[in-house]
Structures are given as C-alpha cells and as structure tokens.
C-alpha cells in the first residue's frame, strides 16, 4: 500500500481506446480474441466526424475509433502512427477531483472535466497526457447504466457471453525513447502516487542483438500495473527501436489480458486466426527444471507454444501475439498467474529471440 493512495484513488482501467483506420473492421477482428461488440456511435447515431465501436469481454473494454474524413485527431493519428492506443482510461471515484490533483502535481491537461449525459445517466470525463501522444482519460460513472458511454447506442442482440476466458487487464506496457524511462517512472510516482514494483536490467533482458530496460510502476494493489520500456545498447536494432521507428513516437507496446485457463483461451484464439509468437522446441527441454510446478501441463503448454516462469511468490504462464496491425507496433499477451507477481523475465531471452526472428523477416534487424 502507498500513502498517496487516498489522494489519487483509482478503481481500475475503464477502457482502452484505439484510433484505427477502420473501426468497423477492427471491432470485428477482436472477436477473434473473444470480444463482443456491445455499443457503437456513428452517422446513424448523430456522430458526424467519427465512428466508434465498444467491444467487451468480462471486465475488459476496448473502443475502436476511426475518422469519417481526412481531418482531425483520428485521421492524423492513423496517418502518422498507424492503428494504435490513444487512451488508457482510468476509472476514478471523482474525475473532476482526480484531474485537479493531477494537474496540481504537474500533469498536462488534455481535457477539462466535462459531464456527458443521456437517458442512462451521466459520466464525468477529464484527461491528462502521458508518454508520446497517449492520454489517460479520468472517468467517473457512479450511477451510469448505459451500455458504455453517453452517445453510444447498444448493439442489438449483443451480449457478452464470457468470450474466450479473458477476465481483466493484467498490465499495459509503454515503449519510450532511450533515456526517458526514469522520467516516466517519476511521472507516475509524482502524479498518481504509484511505486516501483521491480525493474529488469539490460543484462537480464538482452540477447545478442536486442536489449531493453524495463521498470514497472503500480498502484500498490495490482489493479494498475504499467511496465515502461526503453531501448538499451545492443549489437543491432532493438525491438523497442523498431517500434519507435514505425509508431513515430512513444506509445503502448502491449496489453496483457488475464485468463484462468490459458490453454483453452489460446487454443480458441488460435482457431479463430490469432497468430502467436513461437519459441523453439528446445525451450521446453529446460523449462521443467526452471518451473517444476508445470510438469503435469507440459504437453499442453508445448503444443500451444505457451511459456512459463516463476518467482518467489509462485508461477505464471504467458504467450505473446504477433503485432495486430500492419505496422510492427502493438501486440497482446495472454497471461495466467498462479501467485507470481513478475512479468516473465525468465522468458525474455527465448522470447526476444523469437521476436528477432520475425524482426529479421521484416528486414528490420
Ligand atoms: Fe507483458
């Protein structure tokens, strides 16, 4: 627990919004991850400039927003960055107060508190800037009963049937420029009262070519965990540099989604067409020694290319998708935790070798 918690309470991630080239098709693609489109806004609902679809799976909500013309922030985002995360929206008890506290502590406001209202009630929304062009909306919705947000209409016959087993967001990772990681760690400590969970050095996370530094800030309870990566010296271009080259600015690198049955979740996603990184078969030769807890599941894990790691608190299972848009930028992680509080540092080497094989195939190594 941290002492600042009372002055910047956060209830969880309200939603993550992506700016995309085609919101209708993006919403459809995420069905492959188990999401159901539940609400939307567009020309027919009176939205003249943009189209948005909200998709949901248990506690996880993503919003895909695209422009209806060549001007404005969505069109500009797609031109410069391609599809990517615009907003990691945080649910707070009082958005106006959270915004005031954040700005008092030095955050840059991107949206003053505003009340949005429709027949289902009201939502208060404000916003502050974080790394790159990413923002944190601050959302309070104590009594709102609509499908998502005022102005969105429910999609008929849509119901979240539990999807493919994704329950909540485990962590959201940002890539920042060389030398900027500590600045952003300090930002979350100063503005939100977060503390550093742990950090990984470039020795721990390095392969022959790619290296990165990573620190994790969190709210002290585990509802919000935000690892922040920066590139480190390597023989060749690191995966973080490849991201920055294509995204053109710091931004969200990956979103980890938690399941209680990673084998079933991943088998279903793969059957639906999601592509995951593959580690070589030799990875499974020593994983039984490293993570003895998984002995009875080894066949199913190996069959699905799922990785395992442990720390003093327990073990975890994880797998990473390939990038989900044309540019090699945002990807997803599926994670099943059994006590472990880490992020799979023991897998970084095998994993980065797999990433680098793909990077080489793209001509970017
Ligand atoms: Fe992760």
């Amino acid at each position: 627990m941290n002492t600042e918690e009372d002055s910047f309470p956060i209830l969880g991630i309200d939603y993550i919004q992506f700016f995309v080239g085609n919101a209708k098709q993006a919403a459809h693609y995420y069905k492959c991850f188990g999401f159901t489109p539940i609400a939307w806004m567009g020309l027919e609902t009176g939205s003249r400039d943009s189209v948005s679809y909200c998709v949901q799976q248990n506690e996880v909500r993503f919003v895909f927003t695209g422009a209806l013309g060549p001007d404005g922030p969505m069109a500009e985002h797609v031109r410069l960055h391609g599809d990517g995360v615009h907003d990691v929206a945080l649910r707070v008890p009082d958005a106006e107060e959270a915004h005031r506290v954040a700005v008092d502590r030095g955050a840059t406001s991107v949206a003053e508190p505003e009340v949005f209202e429709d027949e289902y009630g009201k939502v208060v929304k404000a916003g502050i800037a974080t790394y790159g062009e990413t923002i944190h909306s601050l959302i309070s919705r104590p009594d709102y009963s609509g499908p998502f947000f005022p102005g969105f209409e429910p999609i008929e016959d849509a119901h979240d049937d539990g999807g493919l087993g994704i329950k909540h967001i485990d962590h959201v990772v940002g890539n920042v420029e060389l030398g900027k990681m500590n600045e952003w760690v300090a930002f979350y400590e100063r503005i939100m009262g977060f503390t550093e969970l742990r950090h990984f050095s470039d020795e721990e996370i390095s392969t022959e070519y790619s290296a990165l530094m990573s620190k994790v800030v969190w709210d002290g309870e585990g509802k919000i965990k935000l690892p922040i990566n920066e590139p480190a010296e390597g023989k060749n271009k690191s995966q973080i540099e490849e991201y920055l080259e294509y995204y053109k600015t710091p931004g969200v690198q990956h979103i980890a989604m938690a399941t209680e049955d990673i084998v079933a979740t991943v088998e279903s996603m793969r059957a639906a067409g999601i592509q995951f990184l593959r580690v070589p078969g030799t990875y499974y030769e020593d994983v039984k020694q490293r993570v003895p807890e998984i002995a009875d599941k080894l066949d199913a894990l190996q069959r699905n290319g799922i990785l395992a790691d442990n720390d003093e608190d327990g073990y975890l299972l994880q797998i990473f998708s390939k990038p989900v848009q044309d540019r090699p930028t945002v990807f997803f992680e599926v994670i099943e935790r059994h006590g472990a509080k880490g992020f799979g540092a023991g897998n970084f080497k095998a994993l980065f070798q797999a990433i680098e094989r793909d990077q080489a195939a793209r001509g970017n190594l």
Side-chain angles (χ1 to χ4, degrees), residues 171 173 227 254 256 318 320 333 343:
H171 56 276
V173 183
H254 77 265
Q318 63 183 170
F320 297 85
E333 173 181 351
F343 296 84

Side-chain angles (χ1 to χ4, degrees), residues 266-267 270 274-284 299-307 319-322 349-358:
V266 167
E267 280 179 351
R270 208 191 288 281
I274 299 296
Q275 293 180 302
F276 293 98
L277 287 178
R278 277 273 178 200
V279 292
T282 51
Y283 170 86
Y284 293 93
D299 285 349
L301 299 180
Q302 182 162 7
R303 197 168 60 241
N304 286 285
I306 295 165
L307 312 177
I319 193 168
F320 297 85
S321 80
K322 297 199 173 199
K349 192 161 187 196
L351 187 63
F352 291 176
Q353 285 165 342
I355 290 174
E356 283 166 10
R357 279 194 301 276
D358 282 8

Side-chain angles (χ1 to χ4, degrees), residues 46-321:
S47 173
R48 305 306 302 176
D49 303 323
S50 65
V51 175
S52 290
Y53 286 84
C54 176
V55 306
Q56 184 166 11
Q57 183 168 188
N58 297 306
E59 288 176 35
V60 185
R61 268 197 301 232
F62 294 150
V63 180
F64 301 97
T65 299
L68 282 167
D71 302 317
M74 297 99 184
E76 180 64 10
H77 185 284
V78 170
R79 189 186 68 78
L80 198 56
H81 311 298
D83 293 1
V85 172
H86 161 64
D87 185 359
V88 179
L90 305 174
R91 186 149 67 244
V92 295
D94 181 341
E96 193 171 356
E97 173 66 4
H99 181 266
R100 189 190 63 73
V101 170
V103 171
D104 273 357
R105 293 175 176 176
T108 301
S109 175
V110 294
E112 292 298 310
E114 192 177 345
V115 179
F116 296 84
E117 203 161 4
D118 65 9
E119 74 252 47
Y120 300 107
K122 62 183 180 185
V123 176
V124 184
K125 181 181 179 183
I128 59 170
T130 180
Y131 45 71
E133 293 183 8
T134 316
I135 69 165
H136 288 302
S137 283
L138 304 166
I139 305 281
S140 50
R141 49 165 83 242
D143 304 311
Y144 189 69
S145 63
F148 171 55
F149 196 90
F152 279 73
E153 291 194 359
I155 290 173
E156 268 176 53
D157 299 331
H159 68 284
D160 178 5
D161 57 1
L164 301 181
I166 295 301
K167 303 292 190 195
H168 61 268
I169 291 172
D170 187 86
H171 56 276
V172 180
V173 183
N175 282 344
V176 303
E177 308 99 319
L178 183 63
K180 297 289 187 186
M181 175 182 69
N182 287 325
E183 275 180 36
W184 287 106
V185 167
F187 169 86
Y188 284 102
E189 289 174 341
R190 186 174 74 247
I191 305 298
M192 300 188 187
F194 286 7
T195 53
E196 201 179 315
L197 181 57
R198 59 194 301 165
H199 76 271
F200 309 101
S201 69
D202 54 346
E203 274 158 45
E204 204 173 357
I205 314 178
S206 64
T207 62
E208 192 180 349
Y209 298 107
S210 286
L212 63 81
M213 304 263 280
S214 188
K215 288 185 177 178
V216 183
V217 288
W218 73 323
D219 61 348
E221 292 182 12
K223 282 179 292 194
I224 312 283
K225 286 174 280 186
L226 305 175
I228 297 167
N229 299 330
E230 71 174 26
E233 213 59 49
K235 280 191 189 162
N236 220 321
K237 188 188 294 175
S238 93
Q239 54 171 300
I240 311 302
E241 288 173 279
E242 188 197 33
Y243 174 100
L244 293 170
E245 183 175 305
Y246 281 86
Y247 203 62
K248 306 293 181 196
T249 183
V252 170
Q253 178 210 37
H254 77 265
I255 298 166
M257 308 187 290
T259 173
E260 289 160 7
D261 185 350
I262 194 169
V263 171
T265 296
V266 167
E267 280 179 351
S268 303
M269 287 178 179
R270 208 191 288 281
I274 299 296
Q275 293 180 302
F276 293 98
L277 287 178
R278 277 273 178 200
V279 292
T282 51
Y283 170 86
Y284 293 93
E285 288 168 13
D286 77 328
V287 78
K288 323 187 253 282
Q289 280 79 52
R290 211 159 49 75
V291 192
E293 298 96 318
I294 58 150
D296 59 329
K297 306 178 198 170
L298 195 61
D299 285 349
L301 299 180
Q302 182 162 7
R303 197 168 60 241
N304 286 285
I306 295 165
L307 312 177
D309 195 21
N310 57 7
D311 59 25
E312 58 276 19
D313 298 309
Y315 74 102
L316 62 81
L317 304 170
Q318 63 183 170
I319 193 168
F320 297 85
S321 80

